[in-house]
Amino acid sequence: MFANEDDIRRILEAAKRNNLTGHFLWVGSDSWGSKVSPVVHQEDIAEGAITILPQRASVSAFDRYFKSRSLSNNRRNVWFAEFWEENFECKLGMHAKRPGSLKKCTGLEKIGRDSTFEQEGKVQFVMDAVYAMSHALHKMHLDLCAGYPGLCPRMSNVDGKKLLNYIRAVNFSGSAKTPVVFNENGDAPGRYDIFQYQSSNTSGGEYKVIGHWIDHLHLDMDVLQWASGDYSVPPSVCSTPCQTGERKKIVKGVPCCWHCEVCAGFHYQASEVTCELCPYEQRPDVNRTGCSAIPIVQLDWHSPWVIMPIILAVLGILATAVVMVTFVRYNDTPIVRASGREMSYVLLTGIFLCYAITFPMVSTPGLAACSFRRLLLGLGMSISYSALLTKTNRIHRIFERGKCSVAAPRFISPPSQLAITFSLISVQLLGVFVWFVADPPNTVIDYGEQRTQDPSSARGTLKCDISDLALICSLSYSILLVVTCTVYAIKTRGVPETFNEAKPIGFTMYTTCIIWLAFIPIFFGTAQSEEKMYIQTTTLTTSLSLSASVCLGMLYVPKVYVIIFHPEQNVPKHKRSFKAIVTAATMTSKLSQLASERPNGEAKTELCEPKGSSSPPSKNTYVSYTNHAM
């Protein structure tokens, strides 16, 4: 603080009023010095204050002279009367400067006897200043008026600049026996005592000399005391050093001060004042002084997200193998023949591939794994639902033709059915082939999928270069087959139960549609999730396995059950012609419809063709469409 005594006292009062005791460390100029008045009644707020005073010595000759002064012998000092009243607390006549009922001054009071007296600290400097002027004028007189008494004409009009040069050149011993000299800037040598205001158990507070300045600083660190009993030196800096990973943000207009700002996010400390962004595939290290590679993650076989799809796939493959072995073992039995052996094996192959795709989907991404993913992702479903579509379409065409004609429709023989199925499958294979040529399979590391706000949890995901759009495009043809097959399943829902697989296929397709309708929101709803890779892979593989399981359970498990546990039902029945089969099916359908329309359940058979001689087959008769001409 560079302020006068009164302002210093007011500032300390304001700090105390705002409960800032101990908040500031005061450094006062010589106007504070060792004065008591600024700190009276606020010793606690001023504790630890550092002040300075020029070194001074008491001039005994001045004390002798001043104590000898009285009202009678010091009339030339116009302020002396006012000092007299103040010093002796009395008043001088009618024109006294101090109002009130004070005692009257006698004029016989003596300074230092009837009042306290302490020599003003700057007396030494006033005397030295007067002597410096005297020495300068004397030296100037010697140079300009050599041997001439009094002022010579050359000094009658003194040039101030010339006199200043003489003042700066003086060199004499001052009143305190210290040399009085001036440097090239006109400054006298600084000699200061340094004080600290410290609390005291006895007097409440006092100024203690803690050092001095003569050409350089001398401090006695052992006597410094900042708070009661605290001798640790407080930090004396504009800004504290920044910690590791923080940059200095320079305060505008104050280049020596700064704020410490943490290098946040994926930034690291490049220098004291700058933070820079790490490369995309890297993240800041623990100290944020550099960058390190982001860890790479992938699906592994021990992940909970993988275990369930693997279990489903393994169980499905075993069940498919059991069905396949059973059908091969009982290949010539009526149930197997009635199922359409060739189409059954094609369907079982598709079911097997739907289960098998789980393994390349969860394995470590590589050229082979990524190639198998592209190839098998939609192929298993395409094979399965191409076979089912061919079957449902064949049943639909047979019974639609049977309503108006006994002639067999075209392309219902086993070779024709296989040709239709493989032509449908070839569309999927052609699309995969084009995909391979246009964009060869490869692996990529996706750093954006798990790039969180916290760099410590950021991960790079190793995966095949298959986008969500490409994946859906690969499955879209299979979904189209599913929808078409479902339409035909609805059209053939009225076929009697005894006519093979129409109703099981219908139930299979309805369930499959439900599975894939549930798949879509789960797959796309987790596109922004940190667990996207795990959730989407698990959802996709589980949906494929469930679709295959529905086909296997609805179409093959009942037949295997009959073949193994009820072989007595797996016996050949009497063969009938295609005309008899269609006529019986048509009659059953018509009778069911008319029975609901006529009273008392009476119905009349109405057919497009003349009635056949054969009656409808019994409940346990297995009709083989593959041998319809027999």
Side-chain angles (χ1 to χ4, degrees):
M1 284 194 293
F2 291 90
N4 59 44
E5 181 179 336
D6 186 57
D7 289 339
I8 293 170
R9 178 178 55 80
R10 291 175 182 274
I11 291 173
L12 294 178
E13 287 177 350
K16 186 174 183 178
R17 217 169 32 245
N18 288 276
N19 296 320
L20 293 175
T21 302
H23 180 76
F24 295 109
L25 175 60
W26 308 101
V27 180
S29 65
D30 57 348
S31 60
W32 185 340
S34 57
K35 296 175 182 176
V36 176
S37 58
V39 298
V40 172
H41 304 308
Q42 44 199 19
E43 291 82 0
D44 52 347
I45 197 73
E47 184 177 6
I50 305 292
T51 62
I52 61 171
L53 270 181
Q55 281 187 352
R56 56 190 179 177
S58 178
V59 182
S60 57
F62 177 81
D63 285 347
R64 288 194 303 271
Y65 167 78
F66 194 75
K67 287 180 181 179
S68 67
R69 298 297 89 191
S70 65
L71 292 173
S72 59
N73 62 14
N74 196 24
R75 293 185 181 276
R76 69 184 182 90
N77 190 333
V78 296
W79 297 287
F80 194 71
E82 184 178 347
F83 163 78
W84 195 269
E85 289 181 331
E86 185 76 23
N87 189 51
F88 296 109
E89 297 182 351
C90 60
K91 62 180 180 178
L92 293 170
M94 296 297 295
H95 303 287
K97 300 293 183 182
R98 292 170 60 87
S101 58
L102 298 174
K103 65 180 180 178
K104 187 176 181 180
C105 298
T106 63
L108 301 177
E109 295 89 357
K110 189 172 180 60
I111 298 173
R113 185 192 68 185
D114 299 323
S115 67
T116 58
F117 171 76
E118 182 181 358
Q119 186 180 124
E120 166 60 43
K122 294 182 174 61
V123 167
Q124 169 197 347
F125 306 111
V126 174
M127 293 176 65
D128 289 343
V130 173
Y131 276 113
M133 180 70 75
S134 299
H135 278 279
L137 289 171
H138 178 68
K139 178 62 175 171
M140 176 181 276
H141 186 271
L142 291 176
D143 291 344
L144 301 180
C145 306
Y148 190 91
L151 291 176
C152 65
R154 296 180 64 183
M155 287 186 64
S156 60
N157 188 14
V158 177
D159 184 0
K161 290 184 178 179
K162 185 178 290 187
L163 177 60
L164 179 61
N165 291 332
Y166 279 101
I167 293 174
R168 288 185 174 182
V170 300
N171 188 345
F172 65 94
S173 179
S175 57
K177 308 304 180 185
T178 57
V180 177
V181 294
F182 299 98
N183 60 19
E184 64 276 8
N185 297 320
D187 296 324
R191 296 182 183 91
Y192 294 93
D193 287 325
I194 304 173
F195 297 86
Q196 185 180 41
Y197 189 77
Q198 298 179 355
S199 62
S200 172
N201 295 329
T202 56
S203 59
E206 60 180 340
Y207 292 96
K208 285 188 178 181
V209 177
I210 59 173
H212 61 271
W213 171 277
I214 301 177
D215 296 330
H216 58 276
L217 181 64
H218 300 269
L219 273 181
D220 186 357
M221 302 299 295
D222 294 333
V223 299
L224 288 171
Q225 178 179 319
W226 305 103
S228 300
D230 183 8
Y231 293 92
S232 60
V233 180
S236 181
V237 291
C238 175
S239 300
T240 57
C242 294
Q243 298 180 0
T244 304
E246 297 178 343
R247 76 175 185 97
K248 293 179 180 178
K249 185 177 181 181
I250 304 300
V251 177
K252 186 177 180 180
V254 190
C256 296
C257 301
W258 60 84
H259 300 302
C260 294
E261 187 177 70
V262 177
C263 295
F266 285 81
H267 291 79
Y268 71 99
Q269 182 186 1
S271 67
E272 282 190 349
V273 295
T274 59
C275 294
E276 292 185 4
L277 185 65
C278 287
Y280 191 70
E281 70 280 1
Q282 295 182 354
R283 66 180 181 180
D285 56 25
V286 176
N287 296 324
R288 289 189 176 272
T289 55
C291 298
S292 58
I294 294 177
I296 307 301
V297 297
Q298 62 187 46
L299 280 172
D300 78 62
W301 298 89
H302 304 291
S303 170
W305 295 98
V306 173
I307 292 175
M308 185 179 72
I310 289 293
I311 292 175
L312 284 176
V314 170
L315 293 177
I317 290 173
L318 292 176
T320 305
V322 169
V323 172
M324 182 73 78
V325 170
T326 303
F327 266 54
V328 172
R329 170 68 178 81
Y330 298 96
N331 189 56
D332 291 325
T333 60
I335 288 182
V336 176
R337 293 176 63 188
S339 300
R341 289 172 294 187
E342 297 80 1
M343 297 300 294
S344 292
Y345 294 136
V346 172
L347 180 55
L348 285 172
T349 302
I351 292 172
F352 170 79
L353 293 179
C354 287
Y355 288 123
I357 185 59
T358 297
F359 297 97
M361 288 296 292
V362 301
S363 61
T364 301
L367 181 60
C370 293
S371 299
F372 277 114
R373 286 187 189 184
R374 290 193 180 189
L375 178 63
L376 301 180
L377 187 59
L379 185 59
M381 288 185 64
S382 296
I383 294 174
S384 300
Y385 297 108
S386 293
L388 286 177
L389 176 58
T390 304
K391 277 192 171 190
T392 53
N393 175 263
R394 179 171 177 265
I395 296 172
H396 174 71
R397 288 190 294 117
I398 288 174
F399 284 96
E400 283 298 310
R401 174 60 66 89
K403 292 179 181 179
C404 300
S405 174
V406 295
R410 302 172 61 189
F411 308 119
I412 63 172
S413 64
S416 300
Q417 296 297 291
L418 289 175
I420 295 172
T421 301
F422 287 123
S423 64
L424 293 173
I425 297 170
S426 65
V427 175
Q428 176 73 24
L429 292 174
L430 178 61
V432 173
F433 175 76
V434 172
W435 189 10
F436 268 85
V437 173
D439 183 19
N442 64 297
T443 59
V444 294
I445 299 175
D446 187 349
Y447 292 98
E449 190 170 293
Q450 297 190 50
R451 194 176 180 87
T452 61
Q453 295 295 326
D454 181 12
S456 62
S457 61
R459 298 291 184 270
T461 305
L462 177 64
K463 62 181 186 179
C464 293
D465 187 16
I466 303 176
S467 65
D468 291 349
L469 178 61
L471 184 144
I472 294 303
C473 288
S474 179
L475 291 175
S476 60
Y477 180 64
S478 300
I479 299 298
L480 178 62
L481 293 176
V482 169
V483 173
T484 308
C485 191
T486 304
V487 171
Y488 276 105
I490 295 172
K491 287 184 176 182
T492 58
R493 68 187 183 278
V495 176
E497 294 181 3
T498 55
F499 290 91
N500 294 341
E501 301 171 312
K503 283 187 171 54
I505 290 176
F507 290 129
T508 299
M509 299 317 302
Y510 307 150
T511 308
T512 302
C513 289
I514 293 172
I515 292 172
W516 288 98
L517 285 174
F519 161 81
I520 291 173
I522 296 174
F523 187 87
F524 290 101
T526 57
Q528 304 301 322
S529 171
E530 294 179 12
E531 304 291 338
K532 170 185 174 181
M533 175 182 66
Y534 307 102
I535 298 175
Q536 290 189 342
T537 302
T538 301
T539 303
L540 179 59
T541 53
T542 302
S543 298
L544 288 168
S545 295
L546 290 177
S547 298
S549 299
V550 169
C551 291
L552 198 66
M554 293 283 188
L555 302 178
Y556 291 99
V557 170
K559 296 173 184 176
V560 172
Y561 175 78
V562 170
I563 291 172
I564 296 176
F565 296 103
H566 294 282
E568 72 278 2
Q569 296 182 16
N570 189 15
V571 294
K573 302 296 180 180
H574 57 278
K575 299 176 181 178
R576 283 170 289 178
S577 65
F578 177 77
K579 178 181 178 181
I581 295 171
V582 173
T583 302
T586 306
M587 289 178 60
T588 304
S589 176
K590 286 288 185 176
L591 288 172
S592 299
Q593 180 182 356
L594 293 173
S596 62
E597 298 175 355
R598 304 288 179 87
N600 301 322
E602 296 176 358
K604 180 179 179 182
T605 303
E606 297 178 0
L607 297 174
C608 296
E609 294 292 327
K611 298 178 183 179
S613 57
S614 300
S615 61
S618 62
K619 185 177 181 179
N620 292 328
T621 300
Y622 293 94
V623 180
S624 174
Y625 296 130
T626 59
N627 301 314
H628 61 274
M630 292 182 181

